[in-house]
Amino acid sequence: MGKTPSLNLLKGSKTMKDTVRYVELKEGEGNHEHEPLSSGSRFFHEPGFNIYILTKIGVNSTIHIDAARDFCIQMVAKYPCFSKVVVKDKESGSMNWVRTHVNIDDHLIIPEIDQNMESGDKFVEDYVSNLTVSCIDNSKPLWDIHILNARTSDAEATCIYRAHHSLGDGLSFMNMLLSLSRKASDPEALTTLAANKKAHHHTTKAASFMSFCMVLWNTFVAFMLFVFTTMFLKDTQTPMKASPGVEDRRRRIVTRSVSFADIKLVKNAMNATVNDVIVGIVQAGFNRYLKGRYEEINSPVPENILLRAMMSYNLRASVNVDAATKNTNEDETWGYKVGYILLPFNVKNRSDPLDYVREAKAIMERRKASFEPFATRFFAKTLVPKLFGIKIAGKLNRKVYYNTTFGFSNMPGPKEELCFLQQKVTYLAPSIYGIPSGLMIHIISYVDKVTFVLSAEEETIPDPQKLCDDLEISLHHIKCSVLDKPCAEK
């Protein structure tokens, strides 16, 4: 079996536990090209919150170096943030973005691969796992691309795109990737996102004074729960809840794809949304997984478990990829523009699998009838930093992750097959590492599939493929219940 490259072969990387060093701004070097980091970006340079976005992209043929290099050149030319480094002022401690020269070869990593290896899937998984305990040197722009021309069960080659979260949020990077790619069916046409429309925000119209009061009440309750969580309110200690220091430990990033048609079938039958169905699947999957973990220690599952997700919520006016392509003002489409929702997951055992979806629908409807993501963003990114400074704000922000069980994100993907690096894309799998949580679940749609991407810390979730199995089985049971037919165990 081929040997997985060790960390010292990941050129330009450091371990996550290394002291983060920055280019220092010396006396007389100040100029108009220095741009202060936003409060959202600044959080990701605080201790214990050194988070990277890592996206696996599978393609159906060998990736050529020239195609990868051309992509990097276009990306740097079109998006200035990829040619900036973080510069720290020695006296004030403030941080700024400063333009610098980009040597593409410093960011394009193509390891030698033994084509006779026993398992390409294990090689790619181990390679990514090694990346999750490394970081990029701050003396250069904080991104790189790894090309793995190794055949796996779902791709002929894999591109791993990695960037520091301070550069932007997940939708920023998705728009960037799509704006530099094309439809597989039409090399001249841009692809479109599954939700290629105005983003749905929590702006429920109040039809009456009472409904308006209900929106305010829901917002107040959600806001206070968020504040309490930054201070003392903790989830139940279950096998899925990580211990302190989780952000520095190795992770496994695994994926499982299911049929989008099956999810739509449940959605239409229950008059719900795709997101309602996905949350219901996760609730049911967690129920199965926790029962298995407690059986291992011969213990019953505790009653009344408090299990919540820190859910990221897009606050942009549009999620249309064309906006990123045609709009010359980068500030309109780029950056870290998300709010937070503390989403409770009911993992009690249910005799009817559809109850998981019904409960998810009720929970999501309450969230929609509030301004929770706007309120939590204002508290975390504006109010606390101004009152107490970025250091205290960073600690409180990190504590929300420590006091909840996992992170959750649901992102629309392309509706049509994508051509990336001159090859047809077989799957997209965005994820993150460095997060102070034992588990992060990203869900992304791509053509006719929905992919669950799990970023699992090895001590907290030692068997992430088992959790993937439980999620897939849960969808199968929910679908059978909708069709009112016997459900054989998958």
Side-chain angles (χ1 to χ4, degrees):
M1 177 177 168
K3 185 179 180 181
T4 301
S6 60
L7 286 177
N8 60 1
L9 293 180
L10 300 177
K11 184 171 63 176
S13 295
K14 303 183 295 179
T15 64
M16 292 293 286
K17 290 187 178 180
D18 283 344
T19 301
V20 179
R21 294 173 296 170
Y22 298 91
V23 179
E24 290 190 338
L25 178 62
K26 299 176 183 178
E27 188 175 353
E29 288 187 339
N31 59 60
H32 65 281
E33 294 185 358
H34 290 206
E35 175 190 348
L37 272 68
S38 67
S39 60
S41 294
R42 185 67 176 78
F43 276 124
F44 295 109
H45 291 274
E46 286 302 299
F49 216 61
N50 190 27
I51 300 176
Y52 281 81
I53 292 176
L54 186 152
T55 301
K56 293 196 300 179
I57 306 171
V59 296
N60 69 343
S61 188
T62 299
I63 299 172
H64 299 291
I65 297 175
D66 289 344
R69 184 174 283 110
D70 287 346
F71 172 84
C72 293
I73 292 171
Q74 292 179 51
M75 181 183 72
V76 171
K78 184 167 185 176
Y79 296 92
C81 63
F82 294 105
S83 60
K84 295 177 181 178
V85 294
V86 178
V87 173
K88 188 171 185 177
D89 190 289
K90 293 179 67 175
E91 295 183 358
S92 67
S94 62
M95 293 184 179
N96 299 274
W97 294 113
V98 177
R99 291 289 291 269
T100 187
H101 171 73
V102 179
N103 182 354
I104 296 299
D105 291 334
D106 288 341
H107 299 265
L108 188 57
I109 301 168
I110 308 175
E112 291 185 9
I113 295 175
D114 178 8
Q115 296 301 324
N116 296 317
M117 70 178 72
E118 182 180 326
S119 172
D121 291 272
K122 189 173 189 311
F123 170 81
V124 172
E125 184 179 318
D126 287 347
Y127 189 97
V128 171
S129 183
N130 277 348
L131 285 177
T132 66
V133 285
S134 72
C135 58
I136 301 171
D137 197 307
N138 284 44
S139 63
K140 65 181 183 180
L142 297 174
W143 62 272
D144 57 23
I145 290 178
H146 301 247
I147 303 299
L148 306 182
N149 282 315
R151 178 181 295 179
T152 61
S153 59
D154 44 17
E156 291 295 314
T158 305
C159 171
I160 300 170
Y161 179 85
R162 179 172 66 155
H164 198 265
H165 214 331
S166 62
L167 289 171
D169 57 25
L171 196 58
S172 295
F173 289 108
M174 178 60 67
N175 272 317
M176 181 275 292
L177 289 171
L178 298 188
S179 71
L180 296 176
S181 306
R182 293 297 181 267
K183 289 182 182 179
S185 60
D186 183 356
E188 301 300 319
L190 285 167
T191 189
T192 50
L193 290 172
N196 195 10
K197 59 187 178 181
K198 243 184 188 182
H200 175 69
H201 289 157
H202 290 42
T203 53
T204 304
K205 292 183 179 178
S208 66
F209 176 76
M210 288 302 295
S211 61
F212 177 71
C213 289
M214 184 59 67
V215 169
L216 293 181
W217 174 251
N218 288 342
T219 302
F220 174 75
V221 171
F223 176 75
M224 294 309 300
L225 285 173
F226 186 85
V227 173
F228 293 157
T229 303
T230 66
M231 300 166 64
F232 59 85
L233 183 59
K234 297 181 180 180
D235 281 9
T236 305
Q237 190 64 48
T238 69
M240 296 183 68
K241 196 170 187 306
S243 58
V246 62
E247 62 272 14
D248 294 324
R249 298 199 288 264
R250 185 180 298 274
R251 307 180 82 88
R252 289 279 163 182
I253 296 179
V254 300
T255 63
R256 183 66 55 89
S257 294
V258 298
S259 168
F260 205 170
D262 287 350
I263 290 177
K264 288 180 178 177
L265 172 70
V266 178
K267 171 185 97 69
N268 294 333
M270 301 193 68
N271 191 27
T273 66
V274 168
N275 202 47
D276 295 339
V277 178
I278 288 172
V279 173
I281 292 168
V282 175
Q283 289 190 142
F286 279 11
N287 170 264
R288 295 180 62 88
Y289 183 75
L290 277 172
K291 282 197 295 186
R293 291 290 296 273
Y294 277 105
E295 285 174 2
E296 291 175 3
I297 57 176
N298 297 315
S299 174
V301 179
E303 293 289 332
N304 301 318
I305 290 176
L306 177 60
L307 191 154
R308 296 172 297 165
M310 178 72 156
M311 181 177 178
S312 301
Y313 191 89
N314 171 52
L315 297 180
R316 289 173 175 79
S318 172
V319 295
N320 191 335
V321 66
D322 295 339
T325 304
K326 297 175 182 177
N327 198 321
T328 57
N329 184 359
E330 185 185 14
D331 292 338
E332 293 295 321
T333 57
W334 199 264
Y336 190 75
K337 300 181 179 180
V338 298
Y340 305 120
I341 296 175
L342 286 180
L343 192 62
F345 279 69
N346 191 335
V347 295
K348 289 182 179 179
N349 193 49
R350 299 294 185 217
S351 57
D352 182 359
L354 296 184
D355 283 343
Y356 291 110
V357 179
R358 294 187 184 103
E359 290 169 355
K361 180 181 177 182
I363 291 169
M364 295 308 296
E365 284 179 349
R366 284 196 296 272
R367 262 52 193 180
K368 291 171 188 175
S370 79
F371 296 100
E372 181 179 356
F374 297 95
T376 55
R377 178 182 171 86
F378 172 76
F379 175 78
K381 306 299 183 185
T382 304
L383 182 62
V384 175
K386 285 188 175 180
L387 292 178
F388 305 105
I390 197 72
K391 297 291 184 184
I392 298 298
K395 289 180 179 179
L396 292 178
N397 200 52
R398 191 162 62 252
K399 199 168 181 181
V400 177
Y401 283 93
Y402 279 140
N403 287 347
T404 53
T405 301
F406 71 109
F408 185 77
S409 176
N410 187 5
M411 181 186 299
K415 294 190 293 185
E416 304 93 0
E417 286 190 319
L418 188 66
C419 186
F420 174 73
L421 300 182
Q422 301 178 6
Q423 308 295 342
K424 185 182 291 187
V425 171
T426 59
Y427 72 89
L428 290 167
S431 192
I432 60 176
Y433 68 88
I435 184 173
S437 182
L439 176 67
M440 179 72 201
I441 300 181
H442 284 85
I443 292 96
I444 184 168
S445 59
Y446 178 59
V447 192
D448 59 352
K449 297 183 293 186
V450 171
T451 300
F452 291 80
V453 188
L454 276 58
S455 174
E457 188 267 318
E458 291 182 333
E459 293 182 19
T460 309
I461 310 290
D463 49 357
Q465 290 293 356
K466 171 64 169 59
L467 180 52
C468 287
D469 291 341
D470 289 334
L471 293 171
E472 187 174 13
I473 292 170
S474 295
L475 171 59
H476 177 64
H477 286 185
I478 290 170
K479 176 187 173 184
C480 289
S481 296
V482 164
L483 296 175
D484 196 20
K485 56 190 279 189
C487 190
E489 191 75 21
K490 291 190 72 175

